[in-house]
Amino acid sequence: MPAIKKTEIAYIKGVGPKRAEAFEKLGLKYSTDLLTVYPRLYLPNTTIRSLAKFHDQNVVIKGKIIDKFKPFKPNHPTRIVIFDGTASIESLMWGNTFYREKQFKVGDEHIFWGKVAYNAYERDIKFDMRDHKKFETGDEEMMKYPFIPIYILSEELKKTWIKPLAFTKIIFNALKSSAENIAEVLSEPVRIANDLLDHKTAVLKMHYPRTMEDIEITRQTLAFEELFYLQLVMALRKRSIASAEKGIHFEKIGEKFEILFKEHLGFELTGAQKKVIKEILGDMRSNKPMNRLLQGDVGSGKTIVAVFCFLVAAENGYQSAFMCPTEILAEQHYKTLQYYFDKLGLNSVLLTGGQKKKHRETVLEEIRTGKAQVVVGTHALIQESVDFKSLGFTVIDEQHKFGVMQRAKLKAKGSNPDVLVMTATPIPRTLSLTVYGDLDVSVIDELPKNRKNIKTALRGEADRLKVYKFIRDEIKKGRQAYIVYPIIEESEKLDLKSAVKHFEIIKEDIFPDLKIGLVHGRLPWYEIDETIEAFKDKKLDILVSTTVIEVGIDIPNATIMLIEEAQRFGLSQLHQLRGRVGRGAEQSYCILMAESSGEISAERLKIMTETNDGFKISETDLKLRGPGEFFGTRQSGTLKFTAADLVKDMPLIEKARDSAFKVVNEDPQLRSHENSNIREHFLTNYRESMELIKIA
């Protein structure tokens, strides 16, 4: 917020102590906080004589009640006649008759919000009222503007019996009390270079535009400001990393790296994998700490890239840590690493919360003495009892599932170790620039050559028997299948199919002659691992599961993924689940079983059948769900914008990024007189971000 006079919301006319409590729950304590609550829509402020041209639109009119008609029956509406000096119109008021009698008195003036409708029966214009407020002193000033803003009301505010037009007046009162003190938040060169309005003009026009064109022009300025400060945090963080103590200089690429590459790999790396390894090795050779994001679609081969990095670290005398969000994923990664490291004479260990005490103590001792060269684990890696001898390289997998503090604690286990964060959730460029603007980014945008596109089909309940026949036919060919359910057990609250119940049905009634296994999140990780190993060894034909298999499972012979109640899953989750098949040379299939459940669900499922491209899917996911929900798990730092729109503001994000990084490069401490507005606004509103810069 601009550095302006702090008036508590409770003292704004129309608020009071009780409503102030509701506002504070929303993070709104001062009148200045209300200036960043932007309108949801703008209603034309018009006269009754002009209503005909607003057919089927919502408008605002001001008028006096000149007549009132009681209903013939209790459940009928009260009719009132409104006159505004130009003409009169009849409006229906539904609800308690006695209440309406007290609320609307002949001679009273009100502001009315309603929809203009043509009544074919009476061949006349009618005014279908949605909201109203009694006309009070001061309202005449608000009603001078051609558009009246309407704001979104939260449930907290609705509990205080506040209505939209009353809330509009509260915002107007806040503007009146604070407008003169609104301070600029950008420097003049930044504003001029990006063709922006000054902050005060933008705020006032956003709330009370003179024309509809004003709204988008104004939004561009306010959106730029939001994005600029986000990018400023990124730029300062990146600079603080670059100017921090020296990182580790990994001098040599030893013979084990070459042996793996030439003798033990068993397949040829893609061009994208080679490019990414080269980028990471370039960072590792530098004496600056590496902070790099590795993006790669499901099945693109990120883990093998990490294997090469671990080898370089080990051959330079340093330990590596590989942190995963779940025990099952940690176990899968550990087995992959073991497969290669056993051939190369490297020692890797697994550390999770579910291990027996004696085994855990042995693992901790190997980490402390340096015998363990690569440590794979869950968040157990950041516990105080874990003491690395020489941690030099860290990999954080599916990093969006870890908070800032967790990542910082892992990094603190070493002395400025290189950090590689990986994600199999393809991130749209808009989010990549906003969430990971402080990181260097590498992308594996190529799948192994022998992979075929997974054929995806949407099927309904009427197709179930055909789907089961298809699965049986594929299993007869020697293939295997996953069947995924949205929940573990039946729930009274959720009308969803469960894995436990349907495992029994599939096992006893559908495929009694086949070998079926079951995994879900409530089972101990070692039981899950045993079942998955049995599936991998072809001792099972079908694996029934919840989303516990979403990442990290690589079984080339599994070629069918049947997802039940597919409409209940997010797009990224569906894409991740589909990625469990298609990992071998055989044609694979993903079948989405779903019944129609709304336009958005239909759009999600449609894009799944049209493309295997994770980046296209992630762009659609961002459009449908927005940035706050994109990663599927809310955590500190979730993106929240009031003016910026990450779906349509890509050019604005790039402009804001260029400007913010230019400011920091030229004036790292923001000490110049030119940047005084930026410094003051940053220090007033981004102290938490300053702390994140220090620890992230």
Side-chain angles (χ1 to χ4, degrees), residues 378-390:
T378 57
H379 60 277
L381 290 174
I382 62 176
Q383 292 174 353
E384 285 186 22
S385 58
V386 182
D387 184 16
F388 286 85
K389 183 182 181 183
S390 57

Side-chain angles (χ1 to χ4, degrees), residues 47-60:
T47 63
I48 293 174
R49 179 165 287 171
S50 304
L51 286 183
K53 69 180 180 183
F54 293 102
H55 175 60
D56 209 32
Q57 290 183 47
N58 280 287
V59 301
V60 168

Side-chain angles (χ1 to χ4, degrees), residues 319 334 347-350 359-375 387-390:
Q319 294 170 292
Y334 173 63
N347 182 36
S348 58
V349 296
L350 176 67
H359 176 68
R360 181 182 176 81
E361 286 175 353
T362 301
V363 171
L364 289 173
E365 178 64 14
E366 290 188 3
I367 296 170
R368 189 183 65 78
T369 60
K371 183 180 177 183
Q373 293 163 292
V374 180
V375 186
D387 184 16
F388 286 85
K389 183 182 181 183
S390 57

Side-chain angles (χ1 to χ4, degrees), residues 483-491 496-509 516-523 543-547 564:
I483 301 179
V484 176
Y485 290 91
I487 56 175
I488 297 172
E489 293 175 334
E490 296 295 293
S491 165
L496 297 175
K497 292 177 179 174
S498 73
V500 171
K501 180 180 177 180
H502 284 80
F503 166 68
E504 296 298 333
I505 294 171
I506 289 167
K507 187 179 178 183
E508 301 296 331
D509 302 332
I516 320 285
L518 170 68
V519 295
H520 57 72
R522 289 186 194 158
L523 294 172
L543 184 63
V544 176
S545 176
T546 57
T547 56
E564 295 281 0

